[in-house]
Amino acid sequence: MTGAVEFTPWIKTYPSGRADARATLVFPHAGGAALAYRSLGMALARAGSNAYVMQYPQRGDRLAHPAPATVGALAEDLFAAGDWAGLGPLNLFGHCMGAVVAFEFARVAERRSVPINALFCSASEAPSTVADAPDLPMARDEILAEMVDLGGTDARLLDDDDFVELLLLAVRADYAAFNRYACDDEVGIAADIHTLGGDRDHRVSEATLRRWESHTRGAFTNSMFDGGHFYVNDHADEVAELVNAL
């Protein structure tokens, strides 16, 4: 069935080759490009999922695409990229800001009668807590300090002026949308929510992850892995097995 479904070329696909494979959509962190999730996409394929990694505007092959002003608009933009209903019940995996984008994608999908099996929220604060958190930085030096602190960017790349300018373009687009985001505690989805995090993440604790429980009318679980905010880089296969098992 998946072979008959067409998507825009900026969605990066990692097919499992299995006839019974479930589709898993991957939503990157703020400033993250689809290429950064190649290892996870391949791990998901090995575990039995057909993986589809989203590419946000203002980076990679969407460099010229205008940035949506809100997280909701970004979710609508990604939903319009293909006939998701043709893939059956979807798994959604989002890391950091990507989890909130995936949550809004799930809300769009449910309004359009596209079934969501489960939402996997990795290293992310819950939607209802975003508005009360301090705004994400927009100044160059503060953004770069944030990247170093989170640990998801090779520090050597930050010495490359061309790379930094492209990174800032993507990060500012995402941060601006995220800073405008607000969601009430009672807003939820029918799909199950499973949170994942690193046990040494100094930004997102297990207690922070558990705040997601109020946003599902289904089941909720939490799993912790050894590592920091980008623990998933070291546990791609384990994460993929977990996603494919639920």
Side-chain angles (χ1 to χ4, degrees), residues 38-39 46 73 84 91 101 103 119 128 152-153 156-157 165 171-172 187-188 194-195 197 211-212 233 244 246:
R38 181 174 182 270
S39 292
R46 289 193 297 271
W84 302 110
N91 280 336
V101 178
F103 174 74
L119 169 61
S128 56
T153 305
R156 292 169 297 181
L157 293 175
E165 290 309 310
V171 171
R172 284 184 176 130
V187 174
H194 307 283
T195 55
R211 294 288 297 274
W212 277 93
N233 293 340
N244 200 56
L246 297 173

Side-chain angles (χ1 to χ4, degrees), residues 80-154:
D83 179 18
W84 302 110
L87 298 183
L90 307 172
N91 280 336
L92 310 180
F93 177 94
H95 185 75
C96 199
M97 171 185 158
V100 178
V101 178
F103 174 74
E104 290 299 326
F105 184 101
R107 294 181 67 197
V108 174
E110 290 186 352
R111 289 196 297 269
R112 311 282 173 79
S113 299
V114 174
I116 304 297
N117 176 60
L119 169 61
F120 295 84
C121 305
S122 171
S124 173
E125 56 196 307
S128 56
T129 66
V130 173
D132 291 333
D135 278 354
L136 296 171
M138 299 298 286
R140 175 192 175 97
D141 289 349
E142 291 177 345
I143 290 174
L144 295 181
E146 179 97 345
M147 297 299 101
V148 171
D149 182 59
L150 289 172
T153 305
D154 188 335

Side-chain angles (χ1 to χ4, degrees), residues 183-204:
C183 179
D184 291 336
D185 190 60
E186 64 269 16
V187 174
I189 58 175
D192 298 342
I193 289 180
H194 307 283
T195 55
L196 308 87
D199 60 7
R200 297 194 306 277
D201 186 345
H202 64 290
R203 295 292 189 94
V204 181

